[in-house]
Amino acid sequence: MAVLIYHLKIIASMMKVFLILFWTANFIQLNIPQAAGVQVFPPVNFTLTVSALAQVLLQWKPNPNQEQKNYTIRYDVKILSPVPEEYDTKKTHSIRTAALHNGFSAHVRTLLLHNELQMRSHWVKEKLPPPPGAPETSVTNLSCVTRISISSTVSLHCTWLPGQEAPEDTKYFLFYRYEMYTEECQDYIKDKWNRNTECRFSVTHIDPEEVDSLIVIHINGSSKYAAIKPFQQLFNQNAIEKVNVPRNVTVFLQQNDLLATWEKPISPFPKECFEYEFYLFNLKSGNKQILKIPVNDFRLRIDVTSRYSVQIRANHHICCTRGFWSDWSEIIYVGQNKLENSTVWILAVLCVSTCCTFLLVAIICKKTHVWSKLFPPIPAPSSKFRDLFPNNYERARSCTSETETEFSSFAEDLYCNALDDSVF
């Protein structure tokens, strides 16, 4: 009896599940009017066209066989390369910016919407082949930096390395595109093989107030010995910006605290968009600190017996993508090493006093002829045989008196020596 009741319960549970599934199926079928008879057709005339540097225009047309009554038609777009991406659109065209030196591939299909139901066609595929060129002849290690001037113009500086297989006669040419404006570089720097490896634009059409817009860099080349493969790269304009140095940095001491204030760098962005690094170096102990500061002023308790050097640099913080940190501001010194300072002054005073004393003594000695008194000249010995040579005695005496004087000429000494030799 118990077994029979158990089986009846199982059958009842199965009946409930069956009824639920049956009701759900009927409900769905009621909400798909003529769904079984509707066919979803893929788009036609799908094309990919390069409309600008690193820009592709995707175009297609609705299938003329597609039934549109009571349905909403959209299109699924899938970018396969170079960067995978999926999105849907009501339009029959789409523009995408991408580096095209390795080609471009995309799919599109029709999406039929009715209430909460979605029906899709199969994919239509199209691709762009890579541009021609020998392998490893395109540039490598491309990097670019922008700077905003005080007049709110933007400069651009790019560097790169030649491809490993690029012949020595290769000439590279750089173009940049910002929105719809394209410009070729006119100011190159060359390597030892006379190949362009750097480019500078002192003024560009880059808008410094735009946020996270793309800068397209395109570099192609030419050679007598090989086809040079072009290269493209996309840069976020804020990510490659070399931020300017903070302005009007002021540092001073207030009792036991160090206070610093400064102004934001030259930029169209407000001061809230920047963060700062505060570099503090204790010249007495050698300790270094780098502190992140989100505002334009700073206070820090320090050792007032030490001398410090201070520098500040800036970067984007909130309003846009972080760029390159600015250079450090000029070094500002504050405080003094009191013990070392007094020692230096004592040594300086001693040195000056000693020098003055020696100079004074030297002047006094020169004025009073102290040196001649302390070190008198040595007199010449007298001649014991003066009477034996009366004719030459006076002349010998004259030479003896000449040698006793403090200042005598070299010629006279030679003459006296000669007489002495003749006498003795």
Side-chain angles (χ1 to χ4, degrees), residues 406-421:
E406 185 174 359
F407 302 102
S408 63
S409 66
F410 179 71
E412 291 174 344
D413 288 338
L414 290 176
Y415 177 70
C416 290
N417 288 338
L419 289 177
D420 292 338
D421 291 339

Side-chain angles (χ1 to χ4, degrees), residues 116-256:
E116 297 181 357
L117 298 176
Q118 296 183 358
M119 291 171 284
R120 298 175 176 86
S121 70
H122 62 265
W123 291 104
V124 178
K125 304 176 183 179
E126 191 61 51
K127 66 178 181 179
L128 290 173
E136 298 186 0
T137 57
S138 59
V139 301
T140 60
N141 293 7
L142 174 63
S143 63
C144 294
V145 177
T146 62
R147 293 177 182 268
I148 300 176
S149 69
I150 194 170
S151 59
S152 295
T153 59
V154 180
S155 63
L156 175 64
H157 179 209
C158 294
T159 63
W160 61 88
L161 295 177
Q164 293 183 356
E165 300 299 325
E168 291 184 4
D169 73 329
T170 301
K171 291 186 178 180
Y172 291 109
F173 307 97
L174 181 142
F175 302 78
Y176 88 88
R177 180 176 69 83
Y178 184 77
E179 296 179 349
M180 297 309 297
Y181 185 86
T182 302
E183 184 177 356
E184 181 181 359
C185 180
Q186 302 297 326
D187 183 10
Y188 290 104
I189 297 176
K190 303 177 184 295
D191 65 4
K192 61 182 180 180
W193 288 287
N194 204 35
R195 296 180 297 191
N196 298 333
T197 56
E198 292 186 40
C199 167
R200 293 177 178 174
F201 294 90
S202 58
V203 178
T204 65
H205 286 75
I206 299 171
D207 186 353
E209 297 184 5
E210 287 293 323
V211 175
D212 296 337
S213 294
L214 291 178
I215 302 172
V216 175
I217 301 297
H218 173 93
I219 302 178
N220 56 25
S222 64
S223 169
K224 296 179 181 179
Y225 307 102
I228 306 302
K229 188 177 179 65
F231 180 81
Q232 294 180 342
Q233 189 167 338
L234 311 181
F235 295 97
N236 181 309
Q237 73 172 75
N238 302 119
I240 64 171
E241 179 187 338
K242 178 73 171 181
V243 179
N244 288 307
V245 179
R247 298 172 296 164
N248 298 331
V249 180
T250 303
V251 182
F252 57 94
L253 295 178
Q254 189 177 82
Q255 295 181 353
N256 293 334

Side-chain angles (χ1 to χ4, degrees), residues 376-390:
I378 300 174
S382 59
S383 175
K384 296 180 180 181
F385 307 99
R386 177 169 39 184
D387 297 334
L388 296 178
F389 307 96

Side-chain angles (χ1 to χ4, degrees), residues 310-374:
V310 173
Q311 290 178 285
I312 301 172
R313 65 178 183 175
N315 203 344
H316 301 142
H317 180 43
I318 298 174
C319 304
C320 58
T321 302
R322 187 186 302 274
F324 296 117
W325 282 96
S326 73
D327 295 328
W328 290 103
S329 62
E330 293 184 1
I331 298 177
I332 297 178
Y333 295 97
V334 64
Q336 59 181 0
N337 297 327
K338 292 186 177 179
L339 180 61
E340 294 179 3
N341 195 46
S342 59
T343 303
V344 170
W345 274 106
I346 291 172
L347 292 175
V349 170
L350 287 176
C351 289
V352 173
S353 301
T354 303
C355 293
C356 292
T357 301
F358 277 111
L359 182 61
L360 182 62
V361 169
I363 293 173
I364 293 174
C365 291
K366 185 176 180 180
K367 293 292 185 182
T368 58
H369 303 286
V370 173
W371 295 117
S372 60
K373 294 179 181 179
L374 292 176

Side-chain angles (χ1 to χ4, degrees), residues 279-289 307:
Y279 178 76
L280 184 68
F281 179 58
N282 188 320
L283 299 173
K284 180 179 179 181
S285 66
N287 291 333
K288 302 177 182 179
Q289 290 180 278
R307 184 171 173 80

